[in-house]
Amino acid sequence: MTTSRSEAARSIRRAPVLVPDCDCPLCPRLVAFREANRAREPLWHNAPVAPFGDIEARLLIVGLAPGMQGANRTGRPFTGDYAGDLLYATLLEYGFAMGTYQARPDDGMKLVDCRIANAVHCVPPQNKPLPIEINTCRQFLEANLETMPNLRAIVALGRIAHDSVLKPLKLKASQAPFGHGAVHQAGAFRLYDSYHCSRYNTNTGVLTPDMFRSVFAKVKAGLD
């Protein structure tokens, strides 16, 4: 019996796209910003930043977007700026990373049972993505959630990251309001909220290292 081309096409399982193409055209404002950055700093990454860590991990950390001097420059999430200094120090302390963080992608540091992604994969002007850009990029975050077979815990760094994961988790904002230290159950998953580990938040006292560590202490206890 012969098989038609359409039947053959339907039989192919297409792997979900976990990160946009390096020249992703979906967000015109971010495309223009990317091209300007490439012209100014041709040796920087200046492209969508892929998630970091094992797809088999039980923990997914979701940030806002690549930082200009951090991931946009180095190509690895939270690498090269203050937010990464606090995040990776905390992950090392709680056993979610091993090695030495040296703020560069070839430092040899590895994540343990942990993966890091962003709500928006390209650096936005002034670190402020527009709602349409957040919504457009959510498809890649959803693909990461769907392809992590052992996922049990999600840490949302900031309100935008929190809001971005609510839809794929099928949670309403009224069911899971954002708040530092809050824990929300979503079926088999637990969503942990934290203020973003940005320099602004730590300099103003909105987030202290102890507050940040307390979130990962909860995550560690929940996974053990």
Side-chain angles (χ1 to χ4, degrees):
M1 183 175 69
T2 60
T3 302
S4 69
R5 288 187 179 182
S6 60
E7 290 173 335
R10 285 196 297 269
S11 70
I12 298 174
R13 292 188 62 187
R14 295 184 178 180
V17 180
L18 303 183
V19 63
D21 180 81
C22 65
D23 293 311
C24 178
L26 295 178
C27 301
R29 188 182 75 119
L30 301 189
V31 171
F33 194 53
R34 177 201 307 151
E35 293 303 323
N37 291 333
R38 286 176 175 176
R40 187 176 62 253
E41 298 288 353
L43 299 182
W44 287 12
H45 177 71
N46 289 322
V49 175
F52 174 40
D54 191 351
I55 200 80
E56 301 287 335
R58 293 181 297 166
L59 169 61
L60 176 66
I61 299 169
V62 181
L64 169 57
M68 174 64 80
Q69 300 289 331
N72 180 66
R73 176 173 60 86
T74 64
R76 190 176 76 180
F78 288 92
T79 300
D81 55 18
Y82 177 80
D85 293 345
L86 179 54
L87 175 61
Y88 287 121
T90 305
L91 295 181
L92 286 163
E93 179 178 350
Y94 285 92
F96 292 115
M98 60 184 298
T100 302
Y101 173 66
Q102 297 180 358
R104 51 187 176 82
D106 61 348
D107 55 15
M109 186 195 66
K110 296 185 182 302
L111 298 184
V112 178
D113 203 17
C114 177
R115 185 169 170 86
I116 302 174
N118 279 314
V120 176
H121 287 73
C122 294
V123 60
Q126 300 179 330
N127 291 322
K128 295 179 179 179
L130 300 177
I132 190 172
E133 294 161 351
I134 298 167
N135 291 335
T136 298
C137 212
R138 186 177 292 114
Q139 61 185 293
F140 304 106
L141 178 60
E142 290 178 348
N144 275 274
L145 290 168
E146 292 170 359
T147 54
M148 294 182 69
N150 302 316
L151 181 64
R152 287 177 51 194
I154 302 166
V155 173
L157 301 181
R159 182 180 296 275
I160 290 177
H162 168 92
D163 290 346
S164 290
V165 301
L166 290 186
K167 186 173 182 179
L169 292 181
K170 296 179 171 52
L171 285 175
K172 296 179 180 179
S174 59
Q175 295 174 304
F178 175 79
H180 181 82
V183 182
H184 311 284
Q185 194 72 38
F189 309 125
R190 281 184 180 173
L191 171 61
Y192 298 81
D193 287 340
S194 173
Y195 293 134
H196 195 283
C197 49
S198 66
R199 183 184 293 274
Y200 175 82
N201 280 348
T202 56
N203 282 351
T204 57
V206 170
L207 178 69
T208 66
D210 283 345
M211 289 170 63
F212 197 57
R213 284 194 290 267
S214 70
V215 172
F216 286 90
K218 290 181 183 178
V219 175
K220 185 71 172 177
L223 290 176
D224 286 345

